[in-house]
Short mmCIF file of all heavy atoms in Angstrom, two decimals:
data_model
loop_
_atom_site.label_atom_id
_atom_site.label_comp_id
_atom_site.label_asym_id
_atom_site.label_seq_id
_atom_site.Cartn_x
_atom_site.Cartn_y
_atom_site.Cartn_z
N GLU A 1 0.84 -1.23 -0.02
CA GLU A 1 -0.02 0.01 0.00
C GLU A 1 0.90 1.22 0.00
O GLU A 1 0.49 2.33 -0.60
CB GLU A 1 -0.92 -0.07 1.17
CG GLU A 1 -1.87 1.09 1.28
CD GLU A 1 -2.94 1.02 2.37
OE1 GLU A 1 -3.07 -0.06 2.95
OE2 GLU A 1 -3.58 2.11 2.72
N ALA A 2 1.93 1.22 0.70
CA ALA A 2 2.87 2.41 0.75
C ALA A 2 4.01 2.22 -0.24
O ALA A 2 5.16 2.79 0.02
CB ALA A 2 3.37 2.49 2.17
N GLY A 3 3.79 1.44 -1.30
CA GLY A 3 4.92 1.14 -2.23
C GLY A 3 5.32 2.35 -3.11
O GLY A 3 4.73 3.33 -3.12
N GLU A 4 6.43 2.09 -3.83
CA GLU A 4 7.02 2.97 -4.80
C GLU A 4 7.20 2.29 -6.11
O GLU A 4 7.51 1.06 -6.04
CB GLU A 4 8.17 3.68 -4.26
CG GLU A 4 8.12 4.66 -3.09
CD GLU A 4 9.48 5.13 -2.74
OE1 GLU A 4 10.17 5.64 -3.57
OE2 GLU A 4 9.81 5.11 -1.50
N ALA A 5 7.31 3.05 -7.22
CA ALA A 5 7.85 2.55 -8.44
C ALA A 5 9.16 3.29 -8.65
O ALA A 5 9.10 4.48 -8.76
CB ALA A 5 6.79 2.63 -9.62
N GLU A 6 10.23 2.60 -8.88
CA GLU A 6 11.43 3.26 -9.29
C GLU A 6 11.43 4.03 -10.57
O GLU A 6 11.32 3.35 -11.60
CB GLU A 6 12.70 2.25 -9.11
CG GLU A 6 14.02 2.96 -9.39
CD GLU A 6 15.08 1.93 -9.31
OE1 GLU A 6 14.88 0.75 -8.91
OE2 GLU A 6 16.21 2.32 -9.75
N LEU A 7 11.57 5.41 -10.48
CA LEU A 7 11.48 6.16 -11.74
C LEU A 7 12.52 7.28 -11.69
O LEU A 7 12.53 8.06 -10.76
CB LEU A 7 10.05 6.69 -11.86
CG LEU A 7 8.89 5.78 -12.05
CD1 LEU A 7 7.57 6.58 -11.86
CD2 LEU A 7 9.00 5.09 -13.43
N GLU A 8 13.36 7.35 -12.82
CA GLU A 8 14.04 8.51 -13.00
C GLU A 8 13.13 9.64 -13.52
O GLU A 8 12.00 9.36 -14.10
CB GLU A 8 15.12 8.26 -14.15
CG GLU A 8 15.97 7.03 -13.85
CD GLU A 8 16.61 6.40 -15.13
OE1 GLU A 8 16.29 6.82 -16.31
OE2 GLU A 8 17.43 5.48 -14.95
N GLU A 9 13.57 10.89 -13.35
CA GLU A 9 12.64 11.89 -13.78
C GLU A 9 13.39 13.27 -14.20
O GLU A 9 14.38 13.60 -13.75
CB GLU A 9 11.68 12.30 -12.59
CG GLU A 9 10.68 13.36 -12.97
CD GLU A 9 9.48 13.41 -11.93
OE1 GLU A 9 9.65 12.92 -10.75
OE2 GLU A 9 8.38 13.89 -12.32
N ILE A 10 12.64 13.90 -15.23
CA ILE A 10 13.14 15.11 -15.81
C ILE A 10 12.06 16.14 -15.60
O ILE A 10 10.82 15.81 -15.82
CB ILE A 10 13.45 14.95 -17.20
CG1 ILE A 10 14.58 14.01 -17.42
CG2 ILE A 10 13.87 16.36 -17.77
CD1 ILE A 10 14.84 13.58 -18.94
N TYR A 11 12.32 17.34 -15.15
CA TYR A 11 11.51 18.43 -15.14
C TYR A 11 11.95 19.46 -16.25
O TYR A 11 13.05 19.95 -16.11
CB TYR A 11 11.42 19.17 -13.75
CG TYR A 11 10.51 18.57 -12.70
CD1 TYR A 11 10.60 17.24 -12.29
CD2 TYR A 11 9.59 19.44 -12.02
CE1 TYR A 11 9.85 16.84 -11.24
CE2 TYR A 11 8.83 18.98 -11.02
CZ TYR A 11 8.98 17.63 -10.64
OH TYR A 11 8.16 17.18 -9.68
N TYR A 12 11.03 19.81 -17.08
CA TYR A 12 11.38 20.87 -18.10
C TYR A 12 10.44 22.01 -17.79
O TYR A 12 9.21 21.82 -17.73
CB TYR A 12 11.21 20.38 -19.53
CG TYR A 12 11.18 21.49 -20.53
CD1 TYR A 12 12.42 21.85 -21.16
CD2 TYR A 12 10.03 22.00 -20.91
CE1 TYR A 12 12.40 22.82 -22.04
CE2 TYR A 12 9.98 23.03 -21.95
CZ TYR A 12 11.22 23.53 -22.43
OH TYR A 12 11.26 24.44 -23.35
N PHE A 13 10.95 23.23 -17.73
CA PHE A 13 10.05 24.39 -17.33
C PHE A 13 9.84 25.52 -18.35
O PHE A 13 10.72 25.72 -19.32
CB PHE A 13 10.85 25.19 -16.13
CG PHE A 13 11.10 24.26 -14.88
CD1 PHE A 13 12.22 23.48 -14.70
CD2 PHE A 13 10.13 24.18 -13.96
CE1 PHE A 13 12.40 22.76 -13.73
CE2 PHE A 13 10.25 23.41 -12.72
CZ PHE A 13 11.50 22.69 -12.63
N GLU A 14 8.64 26.00 -18.21
CA GLU A 14 8.35 27.22 -18.88
C GLU A 14 7.63 28.20 -18.14
O GLU A 14 6.79 27.91 -17.35
CB GLU A 14 7.41 26.95 -20.19
CG GLU A 14 8.08 26.20 -21.31
CD GLU A 14 8.96 26.88 -22.20
OE1 GLU A 14 8.99 28.20 -22.10
OE2 GLU A 14 9.60 26.31 -23.07
N THR A 15 8.09 29.45 -18.11
CA THR A 15 7.54 30.56 -17.29
C THR A 15 8.09 31.91 -17.78
O THR A 15 9.18 31.88 -18.42
CB THR A 15 7.83 30.42 -15.86
OG1 THR A 15 7.22 31.51 -15.16
CG2 THR A 15 9.30 30.40 -15.50
N SER A 16 7.19 32.79 -17.69
CA SER A 16 7.64 34.17 -18.15
C SER A 16 8.31 34.98 -16.96
O SER A 16 8.70 36.23 -17.18
CB SER A 16 6.48 35.04 -18.70
OG SER A 16 5.36 35.19 -17.63
N GLY A 17 8.43 34.46 -15.95
CA GLY A 17 8.96 35.12 -14.71
C GLY A 17 9.70 34.30 -13.81
O GLY A 17 10.65 33.55 -14.14
N LEU A 18 9.42 34.29 -12.48
CA LEU A 18 10.28 33.74 -11.50
C LEU A 18 9.71 32.35 -10.85
O LEU A 18 8.44 32.37 -10.59
CB LEU A 18 10.31 34.67 -10.28
CG LEU A 18 11.33 34.42 -9.07
CD1 LEU A 18 12.72 34.34 -9.63
CD2 LEU A 18 11.15 35.56 -8.13
N ALA A 19 10.47 31.39 -10.72
CA ALA A 19 9.96 30.03 -10.25
C ALA A 19 11.21 29.32 -9.61
O ALA A 19 12.34 29.65 -9.96
CB ALA A 19 9.35 29.14 -11.21
N TYR A 20 10.90 28.37 -8.70
CA TYR A 20 11.93 27.65 -8.01
C TYR A 20 11.60 26.14 -8.01
O TYR A 20 10.48 25.83 -7.91
CB TYR A 20 12.15 28.17 -6.59
CG TYR A 20 12.74 29.55 -6.54
CD1 TYR A 20 11.84 30.63 -6.46
CD2 TYR A 20 14.06 29.74 -6.43
CE1 TYR A 20 12.35 31.93 -6.40
CE2 TYR A 20 14.54 31.02 -6.43
CZ TYR A 20 13.73 32.10 -6.33
OH TYR A 20 14.30 33.44 -6.23
N GLN A 21 12.71 25.26 -7.96
CA GLN A 21 12.50 23.90 -7.77
C GLN A 21 13.43 23.35 -6.67
O GLN A 21 14.62 23.70 -6.61
CB GLN A 21 12.81 23.26 -9.13
CG GLN A 21 12.77 21.65 -9.05
CD GLN A 21 11.30 21.15 -8.74
OE1 GLN A 21 10.44 21.62 -9.44
NE2 GLN A 21 11.21 20.27 -7.85
N ARG A 22 12.91 22.59 -5.83
CA ARG A 22 13.67 21.95 -4.71
C ARG A 22 13.74 20.42 -4.89
O ARG A 22 12.72 19.75 -5.28
CB ARG A 22 13.00 22.28 -3.40
CG ARG A 22 13.75 21.80 -2.27
CD ARG A 22 15.06 22.53 -1.82
NE ARG A 22 15.58 22.11 -0.57
CZ ARG A 22 16.81 21.58 -0.49
NH1 ARG A 22 17.51 21.30 -1.62
NH2 ARG A 22 17.24 21.27 0.69
N VAL A 23 14.91 19.91 -4.76
CA VAL A 23 15.25 18.43 -4.61
C VAL A 23 16.20 18.21 -3.49
O VAL A 23 17.19 18.88 -3.40
CB VAL A 23 15.86 17.88 -5.97
CG1 VAL A 23 15.96 16.41 -5.88
CG2 VAL A 23 15.08 18.36 -7.23
N TYR A 24 15.91 17.24 -2.66
CA TYR A 24 16.70 16.94 -1.43
C TYR A 24 16.71 15.41 -1.22
O TYR A 24 15.79 14.84 -1.58
CB TYR A 24 16.39 17.73 -0.22
CG TYR A 24 15.06 17.63 0.19
CD1 TYR A 24 14.77 16.70 1.39
CD2 TYR A 24 13.93 18.27 -0.25
CE1 TYR A 24 13.46 16.52 1.76
CE2 TYR A 24 12.64 18.11 0.20
CZ TYR A 24 12.38 17.30 1.23
OH TYR A 24 11.05 17.11 1.69
N GLY A 25 17.73 14.93 -0.56
CA GLY A 25 17.87 13.46 -0.40
C GLY A 25 17.66 13.01 0.92
O GLY A 25 17.26 13.78 1.86
N THR A 26 17.98 11.74 1.23
CA THR A 26 18.01 11.22 2.54
C THR A 26 19.47 11.10 2.93
O THR A 26 20.43 11.39 2.21
CB THR A 26 17.38 9.75 2.45
OG1 THR A 26 18.20 8.93 1.52
CG2 THR A 26 15.97 9.73 1.88
N ALA A 27 19.59 10.70 4.26
CA ALA A 27 20.96 10.57 4.77
C ALA A 27 21.89 9.51 3.89
O ALA A 27 22.98 9.63 3.72
CB ALA A 27 20.97 10.10 6.23
N GLU A 28 21.04 8.41 3.52
CA GLU A 28 21.78 7.32 2.81
C GLU A 28 22.09 7.73 1.36
O GLU A 28 23.05 7.34 0.76
CB GLU A 28 20.95 6.07 2.72
CG GLU A 28 20.66 5.54 4.17
CD GLU A 28 19.65 6.28 4.82
OE1 GLU A 28 18.77 7.01 4.36
OE2 GLU A 28 19.50 6.10 6.17
N ARG A 29 21.24 8.66 0.68
CA ARG A 29 21.35 9.06 -0.66
C ARG A 29 21.21 10.53 -0.70
O ARG A 29 20.14 11.07 -1.16
CB ARG A 29 20.35 8.33 -1.54
CG ARG A 29 20.40 6.77 -1.48
CD ARG A 29 19.27 6.13 -2.39
NE ARG A 29 19.76 6.22 -3.76
CZ ARG A 29 19.03 5.93 -4.89
NH1 ARG A 29 17.70 5.40 -4.69
NH2 ARG A 29 19.50 5.92 -6.07
N PRO A 30 22.17 11.30 -0.43
CA PRO A 30 22.11 12.79 -0.46
C PRO A 30 21.99 13.33 -1.87
O PRO A 30 22.58 12.68 -2.68
CB PRO A 30 23.39 13.16 0.30
CG PRO A 30 24.39 12.07 0.08
CD PRO A 30 23.55 10.79 0.10
N ILE A 31 21.29 14.39 -1.88
CA ILE A 31 21.10 15.10 -3.14
C ILE A 31 20.56 16.58 -2.75
O ILE A 31 19.86 16.57 -1.71
CB ILE A 31 20.17 14.40 -4.10
CG1 ILE A 31 20.10 15.20 -5.50
CG2 ILE A 31 18.79 14.44 -3.46
CD1 ILE A 31 19.34 14.40 -6.51
N ASP A 32 21.09 17.58 -3.45
CA ASP A 32 20.66 18.93 -2.92
C ASP A 32 20.55 19.86 -4.11
O ASP A 32 21.62 20.16 -4.72
CB ASP A 32 21.79 19.46 -1.98
CG ASP A 32 21.39 20.75 -1.37
OD1 ASP A 32 20.24 21.22 -1.41
OD2 ASP A 32 22.31 21.40 -0.83
N VAL A 33 19.38 20.24 -4.50
CA VAL A 33 19.14 21.22 -5.62
C VAL A 33 18.10 22.24 -5.07
O VAL A 33 17.09 21.87 -4.55
CB VAL A 33 18.54 20.54 -6.78
CG1 VAL A 33 18.22 21.60 -7.85
CG2 VAL A 33 19.61 19.53 -7.41
N LEU A 34 18.37 23.52 -5.18
CA LEU A 34 17.47 24.60 -5.02
C LEU A 34 17.70 25.64 -6.18
O LEU A 34 18.84 26.30 -6.06
CB LEU A 34 17.58 25.27 -3.70
CG LEU A 34 16.62 26.46 -3.47
CD1 LEU A 34 15.21 26.13 -3.77
CD2 LEU A 34 16.88 27.13 -2.14
N ALA A 35 17.01 25.48 -7.26
CA ALA A 35 17.29 26.20 -8.45
C ALA A 35 16.25 27.30 -8.77
O ALA A 35 14.96 27.03 -8.63
CB ALA A 35 17.44 25.20 -9.62
N GLU A 36 16.57 28.44 -9.16
CA GLU A 36 15.62 29.45 -9.75
C GLU A 36 15.54 28.98 -11.29
O GLU A 36 16.51 28.95 -11.93
CB GLU A 36 16.21 30.86 -9.68
CG GLU A 36 15.27 31.84 -10.30
CD GLU A 36 15.84 33.22 -10.15
OE1 GLU A 36 16.49 33.57 -9.02
OE2 GLU A 36 15.75 34.14 -10.97
N VAL A 37 14.43 28.71 -11.68
CA VAL A 37 14.20 28.05 -13.00
C VAL A 37 13.43 29.15 -13.87
O VAL A 37 12.45 29.69 -13.44
CB VAL A 37 13.45 26.72 -12.93
CG1 VAL A 37 14.37 25.66 -12.27
CG2 VAL A 37 12.16 26.86 -12.30
N GLY A 38 13.72 29.13 -15.11
CA GLY A 38 13.10 29.98 -16.12
C GLY A 38 12.86 29.11 -17.35
O GLY A 38 12.97 27.95 -17.37
#
């Protein structure tokens, strides 16, 4: 019931102004992104 499907993912953005995207990891698998995206 609390399962996951392993999926790689791409986010492609369009905006006329200001936006942000956050990605962060676990202690076992660290990852750190805080990007202003256009």
